[in-house]
Amino acid sequence: MTIKGRAYIAGAFEHPIRKAPDMSVSTIHAECARGALADAGLSFADVDGYFCAGDAPGGVQSMVDYLGLDVRHVDGTDTGGSSYIAHVSHAAQAIISGACNVALITMGGRPRSEGRSGVKQKMVGANVPDSPFEFPYGPTAVNEYAMATMRHMYEYGTTSEQLAWVKVAASHHASFNPDALLRDVVTVDDVLSSPMIADPLHRLDCCVVSDGGGAIVVVSPEIAKSLKRPLIRVMGAGESIKGLLGGKADITYSGGVWSGAAAFAEAGVKPQDIKYASIYDSFTITVLMQLEDLGFCNKGEGGKFVADGNLISGVGKLPINTDGGGLNNNHPSSRGGMVKLIEAVRQLRGEAHPKVQVSNCDLALVHGTGGGLASRHGSATLILERV
Amino acid sequence: MGAYESRKLAIPETHPEHEEYWEAAAEGNLILKHCDSCGEYHYYPRELCPFCKSDKTTWKGAKGTGTIYTYSVMRKGGQYAIAFVTLDEGPRMMTNIVDCDLNGLHIDQRVKVVFKQSGNQDNPGPFVPCFTPIL
């Protein structure tokens, strides 16, 4: 059962807050829900499907009650920061099967206010099968991605200078976003001279830690056409889980090789057809590897691809993350997938900042990597078209 | 900056099927799960072989030597080297590189197992396999 052309994104909202010391996480979810429904021209009473992931306090059971929803379909799939991208395709499947007509997806969190960061040891719950063999060694968000970077550099000659170009592009885009947490344009030298956090990743190779959130509304074609918003059609989706493969791990590629191929096949388009891409940017290496894994360049050539401003809107061949991305704008709840969806919707509607808006942007890709690039992660890819 | 500093290793949550692994570690031995059906070693240890799904998995002693597949030295929040080591038996495992100049590490470096006790004096945990360069 293909989802191609059978569900639409009708509403999107990014919470403008980046520091929320006085708000609860559930309040952030609620404000995002209200914002996205208002954007679509719908009300809470129209929602009959609800989706959230691990950032939502109490999961679907608490959140449906808290929001006062009357739903007949729920989904609490959690693949880390890629969850919300997977939720869009799950929502499309639910709409096609008749399980719901208006699907609300919310996310939010306050890691900045709670003092969480990527250099602290990852916490794991009881009975996680891999935990006894990893937990003592101090895996963190940064050193896991750093290990993937180190091996990528070893196998392909990727350099810190090339990685820095990902941050340079993000900072250029963020300079036009009044809500971005970091708005100063930086140079390659600025990245290389920033403090080393975990070899070979510098501070400016790492995303921001921000409070905030966002929400998306996915609807049936009939409802989409009744609303006064541009029509953004879901064209293809893919998802995958990649782990350490029983000890045969190769951490130079991600599950994006599978989720990306599935999404392109379903949509019937190729990487070179994509006008704008939202690429998960928890770290600069995440972008570089995903561009390879999704087929925007050959494996090992990501370094050359991102260099010299190739990711900057109006300058390079592939504009990405024109809101400033997780590196500069927002990485709410340390889960970047929702914001990736929202900027793709802005681009397809022509509502991005004029300085970064891609002309005639009718086909966009959204890709997320949730979890650890050097251990286990969920990948989700989505291809969206403006009708 | 680069000298190895002893650090407290978080105590692993042990699961019932790994009892032999931790007992061997306390005696300074690294053991691996081997599948008698398909002949493959795997890591981390499981009851069912992740490759052929057979339940004919048994513990076998490892040589305790291997090469660094990748690594990273934390420079913020405490200096330590996390790594993946490819064991000579085949599987890759997450570990720490210890007892050496951390600035001298490189991929493909030969390493051997050493065991460090997790926890601390007041709350000692199991010994866990770490690796150090073979000089």
Side-chain angles (χ1 to χ4, degrees), chain A residues 56-371:
Chain A
V60 293
Q61 294 184 94
S62 290
M63 291 306 296
V64 165
D65 182 55
Y66 176 77
L67 294 169
L69 298 175
D70 180 12
V71 292
R72 53 197 178 97
H73 183 78
V74 293
D75 184 335
T77 301
D78 191 0
T79 54
S82 66
S83 302
Y84 323 94
I85 300 166
H87 288 166
V88 171
S89 64
H90 294 189
Q93 291 166 23
I95 287 166
I96 293 164
S97 73
C100 63
N101 287 309
V102 176
L104 171 66
I105 306 166
T106 69
M107 74 86 55
R110 48 199 298 281
R112 191 173 185 90
S113 294
E114 292 166 7
R116 283 188 267 149
S117 92
V119 298
K120 292 186 180 168
Q121 182 141 3
K122 288 182 178 177
M123 296 308 294
V124 286
N127 291 318
V128 177
D130 33 69
S131 163
F133 305 96
E134 295 180 10
F135 190 56
Y137 302 118
T140 68
V142 191
N143 66 16
E144 274 210 24
Y145 283 74
M147 284 196 287
T149 312
M150 196 75 91
R151 186 72 196 183
H152 200 277
M153 288 177 160
Y154 174 83
E155 290 201 17
Y156 300 115
T158 305
T159 66
S160 291
E161 288 81 357
Q162 291 170 333
L163 286 169
W165 274 106
V166 179
K167 172 71 175 185
V168 171
S171 73
H172 177 84
H173 294 147
S175 70
F176 302 109
N177 180 355
D179 291 330
L181 194 62
L182 306 176
R183 298 192 60 200
D184 290 342
V185 173
V186 301
T187 65
V188 168
D189 284 345
D190 289 335
V191 180
L192 299 185
S193 61
S194 66
M196 192 65 85
I197 304 296
D199 302 345
L201 293 180
H202 302 81
R203 174 171 289 156
L204 296 189
D205 287 303
C206 307
C207 67
V208 299
V209 178
S210 53
D211 301 343
I216 287 280
V217 181
V218 185
V219 302
S220 66
E222 295 72 27
I223 291 173
K225 287 163 189 168
S226 74
L227 301 170
K228 296 181 177 64
R229 300 298 278 145
L231 293 172
I232 310 300
R233 189 160 63 179
V234 176
M235 293 298 285
E239 57 191 284
S240 66
I241 303 288
K242 179 169 179 270
L244 292 172
L245 309 175
K248 295 180 186 286
D250 177 345
I251 61 174
T252 60
Y253 71 95
S254 73
V257 296
W258 304 313
S259 66
F264 280 115
E266 185 169 36
V269 299
K270 294 183 166 55
Q272 50 267 38
D273 300 325
I274 300 295
K275 304 274 184 63
Y276 164 82
S278 280
I279 306 283
Y280 205 87
D281 56 350
S282 46
F283 299 93
T284 50
I285 185 67
T286 322
V287 172
L288 193 149
M289 269 178 56
Q290 301 316 304
L291 290 169
E292 295 173 350
D293 293 345
L294 294 166
F296 288 103
C297 61
N298 289 329
K299 193 68 202 172
E301 294 180 0
K304 284 179 202 156
F305 189 86
V306 303
D308 303 322
N310 200 37
L311 306 179
I312 299 175
S313 186
V315 175
K317 276 191 302 187
L318 183 68
I320 75 158
N321 304 350
T322 43
D323 60 332
L327 289 166
N328 277 69
N329 171 31
N330 194 10
H331 197 69
S333 196
S334 302
R335 290 160 165 261
M338 176 59 78
V339 190
K340 296 289 156 295
L341 285 164
I342 293 166
E343 183 66 359
V345 170
R346 289 191 194 109
Q347 279 286 352
L348 290 165
R349 287 174 171 176
E351 294 175 354
H353 189 284
K355 294 285 190 184
V356 297
Q357 176 67 50
V358 175
S359 61
N360 191 28
C361 184
D362 54 1
L363 192 66
L365 173 143
V366 185
H367 177 77
T369 307

